[in-house]
Amino acid sequence: MMPEQIVSIATILASVVLSAAFLLTVYRVVVGPTLPDRIVALDMLVGIAIGFIAVIAIRTGFTLYVDIAIALGLVGFLATVAFARFVLSRGADGRRRSKAVLDGERAAEASEKPMETGVNGGKGRR
């Protein structure tokens, strides 16, 4: 067997495996029970797309595809960080939290502040 044939068979096999992973990940994005599950699945889709680009780069021999894969990896990382900040502000269920404290400076102030007693028996506002 020639090296070209081995590379050809390996890229076809990699494409099949990546296609199966893509379909399973899309299923997780659509059905995912929680928002963090969907975010992890979207991050996985970026990884699978990078894998597809790498297979295409090997198959065609163009090294420009590697630069595209690196750029996609950077954009995917930034998107994951943005989604993570969104989950921190909203919570895993997607509902907005009341008085969410996200930075360390206001966390100390919020923990030291006594709870205000109001009309509803000292339970605070809901």
Side-chain angles (χ1 to χ4, degrees), residues 98 120 123-126:
S98 61
N120 53 359
K123 294 182 182 177
R125 243 193 262 178
R126 291 187 185 222

Side-chain angles (χ1 to χ4, degrees), residues 86-91 93-100:
F86 176 76
V87 168
L88 278 177
S89 68
R90 290 279 183 149
D93 56 356
R95 295 189 202 136
R96 181 178 289 277
R97 292 183 188 173
S98 61
K99 299 182 183 178

Side-chain angles (χ1 to χ4, degrees), residues 1-81:
M1 204 183 256
M2 300 296 292
E4 294 85 17
Q5 290 174 335
I6 294 173
V7 170
S8 178
I9 292 170
T11 55
I12 291 171
L13 182 65
S15 297
V16 169
V17 170
L18 284 170
S19 297
F22 181 81
L23 291 175
L24 291 172
T25 306
V26 167
Y27 174 78
R28 179 52 56 197
V29 169
V30 172
V31 177
T34 63
L35 185 61
D37 289 331
R38 289 184 171 102
I39 293 170
V40 170
L42 287 173
D43 191 36
M44 186 67 187
L45 282 177
V46 171
I48 292 169
I50 291 171
F52 273 121
I53 292 171
V55 168
I56 291 170
I58 291 170
R59 196 137 171 95
T60 61
F62 291 131
T63 58
L64 179 66
Y65 289 121
V66 176
D67 297 335
I68 295 170
I70 291 171
L72 180 61
L74 291 172
V75 170
F77 171 75
L78 290 175
T80 302
V81 170

